[in-house]
Amino acid sequence: MSIDMAQFHQVFFEESFEGLDAMESGLLNLDLGDVNVEDINTIFRAAHSIKGGSGTFGFTAVSDFTHVMETLLDEMRDGRRKITQPAVDVLLGSVDCLRDMLQSIQNGSEVDQSDVAEHKLALDNELNNAVSSSSAGKPSPEALASNSATALPADEAKQIAGWVIAFSPHLHLLKTGNEPVRMFRELASLGHLTTTVDLQGVPDLYDLDPEECHLSWKLSVLGDIPETEVDEIFDWVEDDCDLAKQPIYQTPTEAPPLHSAPDVAINPVANRVTEDVSPELTRAEESESNSLERKSGKKEDAKAAPKGSSSIRVDTSKIDTLINMVGELVITQSMLSLLGEHFELNKLDQLKNGLSQLERHTRELQESVMNIRMLPISFVFSRFPRLAHDISSKLGKKIELKLVGENTEVDKTVVELLSDPLVHLVRNSLDHGIEMPDVRLAAGKPETGTVTLEAYHRGGNIVIEVADDGKGLDKDKLRAKAIEKGLIDADAILSDKQTYELIFMPGFSTAEKLTDISGRGVGMDVVRRNIQALGGNIEILSELGKGSTISIHLPLTLAILDGQSIAVGDETYILPLGSIIESLHVKEDRLNRVAGKGETFLLRGQYLPIIRMHQIFNVLTAKTTKLTEGLIVVVEGQGLRCGLFVDDLLGQQQVVIKSLEANYRRIEGVSGATILGDGSVALILDIPGLVRLANQ
Amino acid sequence: MRQMVAFTLKGAGYNVVEAVDGADALNKAKAQAFDCVVTDVNMPNKDGIELIRDLRALPNYKFTPMLMLTTEAGTDKKQQGKDAGATGWIVKPFNPDQLLKTIKKVMG
């Protein structure tokens, strides 16, 4: 009877990463001049629970590492050690290292021992540093050892094998309609139950009131039973009895096989806590040489592809709404099935009523389920204060980062995919946008530059803005650069907007020097591509000397799309509603055939290419192949306009996007598929892809 | 709600008598001895808590399991119900299986 510990790993990792985030923001917010003990405490607690958790799950390397951090933090907390900037930096570095370690373990890949050893050494140095320099309150090794021994919650390492319960009902218990025998019956259904009754409380026969309960019991139930199930049985009588329960533990289980670093011994928890720190260090150092060559490639791989199921943290109020919804649905459903059992025609109204209720509940349910996928954007934003801190100290700039609208909710997929582009944009602002303090002062600006990250909803979109009050984009410089790189002709006439757009072109970088922070010229075009992959677009506003604002517009959710269904023969296709500009019948005299280039038509003085849908998708049943008889739908995608030749427009509807890639493979011109009301499948068209396809 | 409870319980083989409100329930309970009472908290003409209090005072219902249907938010109601002598509660919304499981818990 053993519990599969692996099922808790995910929770452990999530909590640890959260803890690390808390430590990070705590460390960043520390005001070195006036340290709040509670702040240090928060950081300490996070470190402590990671240590406890990793010990429980047998991730010895992690818990040992955290132990050193904890020791350092403990001394800071007690005031035995001064909090200095170097110490904070070492701790921040350790937080990163710990995050890497946890990620490696989570992905089942090698822990980078050399990196760990390096940070541990730094921590140790920091520790010894204070010991030798501070004369007062020198922590003895014994103190450290005992500290670590008490710090580990030993109970958590064991599995629950059952419960011992002392149950003494109050006299009036029976009068609430609760019956101990029935409760024992419930308990027996959970596991093997032994009851011992205590008769001491039973009075003499003369004094005995048979309606009162004078017995008490000692119960032991064996089995791997969650505490909640036991609680549930006694839930109703909590106030009507004295209840004490205690878990029975099994002997510690063997460490889970997840840990793959072969050179780190997985010791039983009991041995581990008293183990000194130094042997671990030497061991790690020994392994340094052989893991070094593996370091570079593997680490990146592991980071890029996190394995395991993805999970999501959801506000409980959302779950409550959902449960409410489901409850309503169940009621409607049972009402309908009741109705269906003895159906007569005169109950038609009731049936209609019930069905419309069902429809409403289903729609509400859909909405609340979609809502669960929504995460506050703070999940992305929260990493930026650290980024700003690191970069500004590296560059010697003074920068304040403002976060606005952190609670704006975005689809989980968007949150995940948005992270990298945003990092890039913020880095750009910090590195290229904000000037050095002396330059700023000379320009009459405050010494400290401000970078604002803002998120808000507008219409059906979410808008994310990265704004800085730095030097702004220099249009002439951009233009000169583009000409130099051969991206535009020397005499090209560009609007302001088009000029700014230049920075999104592949191979464009205006930084005179490359820095290790940003500016290798591979950036902005990738950023734009990522944003477009999410169905969004990106814009720049800038004023020389005043700063730039980059705004990203994204659809609220990726799972549902407002679509226009179109007919081509027997087939139905869905066009994203946002991409449609107009639809029209075209007259013969407006049509043009260009040899070798296909067909075009004239729309308000502009020639637009025509894409024949029946040709592209090889639909043989098309009602007409004559352009003048069908319908031209003018669509726009990535700045390109074209006319799609279709049979008819059907209707507008919201469709749920099903990925084709997941079920089949990627097809140019098609972004996904959906299931229509009548059960048939319709392809959702990807306009830019379609244009590319037509050009081939 | 009452329809659904009655429907579920009948389906599971229990004999069910429905009452339209608290006063109706009290009258029906006096006329016939029931093994279990399931009542909503919010009812016209005597709410569920009063009903339980009145029933508990009757000699026939001293030890009868009485369950109230309550919403998660109604912690107050739970306590009031307990004080009135309720055996336990079922939190709305619930599905038929949960209802049956809870009923089994209190019926011998």
Side-chain angles (χ1 to χ4, degrees):
Chain A
M1 203 193 54
S2 73
I3 307 177
D4 178 15
M5 293 295 267
Q7 63 179 308
F8 302 116
H9 284 157
Q10 187 60 30
V11 180
F12 162 68
F13 286 128
E14 256 169 43
E15 285 180 357
S16 299
F17 288 132
E18 255 170 41
L20 286 172
D21 290 345
M23 285 169 76
E24 192 168 59
S25 63
L27 285 167
L28 288 173
N29 289 333
L30 277 185
D31 181 356
L32 292 181
D34 175 28
V35 176
N36 187 344
V37 180
E38 194 40 47
D39 290 346
I40 294 280
N41 258 330
T42 311
I43 304 168
F44 177 82
R45 274 196 299 271
H48 182 70
S49 54
I50 294 174
K51 182 177 123 175
S54 50
T56 307
F57 290 107
F59 305 136
T60 326
V62 176
S63 58
D64 284 352
F65 187 85
T66 332
H67 173 64
V68 190
M69 288 175 81
E70 199 188 66
T71 313
L72 192 63
L73 284 164
D74 193 33
E75 286 180 21
M76 289 178 170
R77 185 171 67 158
D78 294 354
R80 276 179 284 162
R81 168 185 295 277
K82 279 193 84 171
I83 299 162
T84 58
Q85 189 60 45
V88 170
D89 287 344
V90 167
L91 281 170
L92 276 172
S94 309
V95 167
D96 288 344
C97 174
L98 205 55
R99 190 176 282 132
D100 285 349
M101 281 168 92
L102 285 166
Q103 263 164 7
S104 304
I105 295 174
Q106 190 179 19
N107 299 334
S109 57
E110 296 270 318
V111 175
D112 185 350
Q113 295 298 343
S114 59
D115 196 34
V116 174
E118 201 178 289
H119 280 100
K120 210 159 177 180
L121 203 64
L123 279 172
D124 279 343
N125 281 343
E126 194 58 43
L127 259 176
N128 298 331
N129 195 358
V131 173
S132 51
S133 65
S134 77
S135 51
K138 181 178 163 187
S140 63
E142 297 86 36
L144 289 182
S146 69
N147 204 355
S148 68
T150 49
L152 203 107
D155 282 358
E156 284 175 31
K158 301 170 186 170
Q159 293 186 354
I160 290 169
W163 294 89
V164 178
I165 302 157
F167 174 53
S168 323
H170 295 165
L171 294 180
H172 69 273
L173 179 93
L174 298 174
K175 288 176 189 162
T176 64
N178 281 296
E179 168 64 77
V181 178
R182 289 193 206 114
M183 292 159 63
F184 300 161
R185 190 182 62 195
E186 290 288 310
L187 264 181
S189 73
L190 297 178
H192 182 75
L193 178 74
T194 348
T195 57
T196 320
V197 67
D198 181 0
L199 299 171
Q200 277 190 345
V202 182
D204 290 343
L205 189 59
Y206 286 112
D207 303 328
L208 181 75
D209 179 350
E211 293 183 358
E212 288 178 340
C213 184
H214 296 281
L215 303 173
S216 56
W217 285 269
K218 193 175 172 223
L219 311 160
S220 84
V221 54
L222 296 177
D224 154 24
I225 304 160
E227 188 172 3
T228 50
E229 290 199 18
V230 179
D231 284 347
E232 200 181 307
I233 290 174
F234 294 100
D235 190 18
W236 290 347
V237 294
E238 256 175 5
D239 304 332
D240 307 314
C241 67
D242 294 320
L243 189 68
K245 61 179 187 309
Q246 211 161 23
I248 310 169
Y249 288 115
Q250 267 199 321
T251 46
T253 49
E254 57 192 63
L258 202 83
H259 202 296
S260 61
D263 37 27
V264 179
I266 300 167
N267 301 320
V269 177
N271 292 346
R272 204 197 53 72
V273 282
T274 48
E275 195 184 319
D276 202 283
V277 177
S278 46
E280 180 65 29
L281 184 61
T282 38
R283 238 187 299 145
E285 275 173 339
E286 275 162 20
S287 69
E288 185 173 347
S289 52
N290 56 21
S291 65
L292 249 180
E293 55 254 49
R294 295 189 299 246
K295 179 184 175 182
S296 49
K298 276 225 169 162
K299 196 174 163 190
E300 294 308 313
D301 286 354
K303 276 183 185 167
K307 269 200 291 183
S309 62
S310 78
S311 62
I312 188 168
R313 289 214 155 202
V314 181
D315 192 341
T316 33
S317 71
K318 287 183 181 176
I319 305 268
D320 287 347
T321 327
L322 197 61
I323 290 172
N324 252 325
M325 238 52 265
V326 172
E328 293 288 333
L329 202 61
V330 168
I331 292 169
T332 316
Q333 185 264 331
S334 43
M335 194 179 91
L336 281 172
S337 58
L338 197 71
L339 200 62
E341 215 152 279
H342 313 282
F343 188 73
E344 289 155 27
L345 217 52
N346 60 15
K347 288 188 183 165
L348 200 62
D349 274 350
Q350 257 179 295
L351 180 68
K352 276 187 183 155
N353 209 345
L355 284 174
S356 76
Q357 236 179 64
L358 188 67
E359 190 200 327
R360 200 177 65 233
H361 292 326
T362 316
R363 198 173 50 239
E364 281 170 11
L365 190 65
Q366 183 197 357
E367 270 163 25
S368 39
V369 173
M370 296 303 300
N371 206 2
I372 282 192
R373 283 188 60 87
M374 306 296 269
L375 291 176
I377 197 143
S378 55
F379 275 75
V380 188
F381 280 8
S382 58
R383 61 197 287 184
F384 290 112
R386 171 74 189 276
L387 192 77
H389 167 89
D390 285 1
I391 291 182
S392 54
S393 60
K394 202 179 242 169
L395 299 174
K397 291 182 181 178
K398 292 196 169 172
I399 298 170
E400 188 194 351
L401 183 75
K402 275 191 193 158
L403 303 178
V404 185
E406 289 168 277
N407 290 326
T408 313
E409 293 197 322
V410 201
D411 191 273
K412 182 173 180 262
T413 328
V414 178
V415 167
E416 281 163 0
L417 296 173
L418 198 60
S419 173
D420 287 344
L422 266 186
V423 169
H424 199 95
L425 294 177
V426 172
R427 277 188 177 172
N428 266 341
S429 287
L430 295 170
D431 191 17
H432 303 317
I434 303 286
E435 315 92 324
M436 298 301 285
D438 49 334
V439 180
R440 288 185 65 88
L441 285 174
K445 292 202 239 182
E447 195 184 13
T448 306
T450 312
V451 174
T452 312
L453 257 174
E454 182 169 8
Y456 54 91
H457 287 290
R458 194 164 68 194
N461 285 318
I462 169 154
V463 183
I464 298 158
E465 285 184 354
V466 182
D468 64 62
D469 63 349
K471 59 187 171 207
L473 290 171
D474 187 337
K475 273 178 282 189
D476 298 333
K477 226 164 149 188
L478 284 175
R479 192 184 164 86
K481 186 85 169 197
I483 295 170
E484 178 199 318
K485 297 240 169 183
L487 296 169
I488 54 168
D489 291 334
D491 54 355
I493 300 164
L494 297 177
S495 66
D496 282 3
K497 204 178 158 193
Q498 280 168 322
T499 315
Y500 296 140
E501 292 269 306
L502 286 173
I503 66 164
F504 292 120
M505 293 180 85
F508 191 94
S509 175
T510 54
E512 282 85 10
K513 270 192 315 220
L514 296 184
T515 66
D516 63 340
I517 292 163
S518 60
R520 229 166 303 277
V522 288
M524 292 304 269
D525 61 314
V526 179
V527 168
R528 177 152 81 167
R529 213 165 331 123
N530 283 349
I531 299 295
Q532 280 170 348
L534 287 169
N537 62 52
I538 183 165
E539 273 171 21
I540 299 189
L541 278 173
S542 183
E543 198 173 333
L544 191 58
K546 293 240 176 113
S548 326
T549 301
I550 297 181
S551 32
I552 298 172
H553 294 248
L554 288 168
L556 262 186
T557 171
L558 297 178
I560 287 196
L561 169 110
D562 273 316
Q564 163 78 50
S565 37
I566 54 169
V568 182
D570 298 339
E571 300 289 325
T572 306
Y573 298 95
I574 309 283
L575 282 172
L577 204 56
S579 67
I580 299 177
I581 294 166
E582 60 189 311
S583 59
L584 44 102
H585 283 288
V586 71
K587 291 203 179 94
E588 185 64 46
D589 60 341
R590 302 255 159 165
L591 287 170
N592 251 314
R593 284 178 184 81
V594 187
K597 290 237 174 181
E599 299 156 311
T600 60
F601 73 104
L602 189 63
L603 178 70
R604 288 189 275 279
Q606 204 184 357
Y607 282 101
L608 298 180
I610 292 178
I611 300 174
R612 286 175 177 258
M613 294 294 289
H614 65 94
Q615 258 176 11
I616 283 214
F617 289 104
N618 209 5
V619 182
L620 299 173
T621 50
K623 267 196 282 184
T624 173
T625 54
K626 274 183 119 176
L627 291 176
T628 47
E629 286 173 15
L631 208 58
I632 302 280
V633 184
V634 182
V635 291
E636 186 178 47
Q638 284 185 4
L640 288 170
R641 282 188 183 197
C642 68
L644 300 180
F645 175 61
V646 304
D647 282 355
D648 211 352
L649 293 178
L650 295 178
Q652 290 177 10
Q653 65 193 104
Q654 283 202 327
V655 296
V656 181
I657 304 174
K658 308 272 179 199
S659 161
L660 266 190
E661 279 161 73
N663 299 312
Y664 178 51
R665 64 184 170 84
R666 203 186 130 66
I667 299 174
E668 185 84 340
V670 175
S671 59
T674 190
I675 298 168
L676 297 175
D678 62 359
S680 62
V681 173
L683 296 177
I684 301 166
L685 303 179
D686 164 40
I687 305 302
L690 215 55
V691 174
R692 274 199 299 276
L693 199 66
N695 287 338
Q696 281 167 12
Chain B
M1 178 53 78
R2 193 181 81 234
Q3 277 178 357
M4 178 224 169
V5 173
F7 181 72
T8 311
L9 292 179
K10 279 177 193 161
Y14 293 106
N15 283 326
V16 181
V17 173
E18 292 176 48
V20 293
D21 59 31
D24 184 26
L26 191 60
N27 286 332
K28 283 182 171 152
K30 280 178 182 163
Q32 195 182 346
F34 293 102
D35 296 326
C36 180
V37 175
V38 180
T39 174
D40 205 334
V41 171
N42 294 317
M43 283 189 303
N45 297 328
K46 193 181 290 291
D47 69 17
I49 290 165
E50 271 179 67
L51 172 67
I52 289 173
R53 189 176 294 122
D54 291 354
L55 283 176
R56 210 39 106 199
L58 299 174
N60 273 346
Y61 289 93
K62 257 187 189 164
F63 307 110
T64 309
M66 295 191 213
L67 302 177
M68 47 182 189
L69 308 179
T70 158
T71 50
E72 182 77 68
T75 330
D76 272 8
K77 293 279 181 206
K78 274 185 201 169
Q79 196 50 49
Q80 287 175 24
K82 283 232 62 158
D83 294 345
T87 305
W89 51 85
I90 307 175
V91 175
K92 288 193 283 192
F94 50 87
N95 65 34
D97 285 346
Q98 285 168 318
L99 174 67
L100 287 177
K101 204 179 143 202
T102 317
I103 296 284
K104 281 205 191 96
K105 189 167 159 183
V106 295
M107 301 271 284

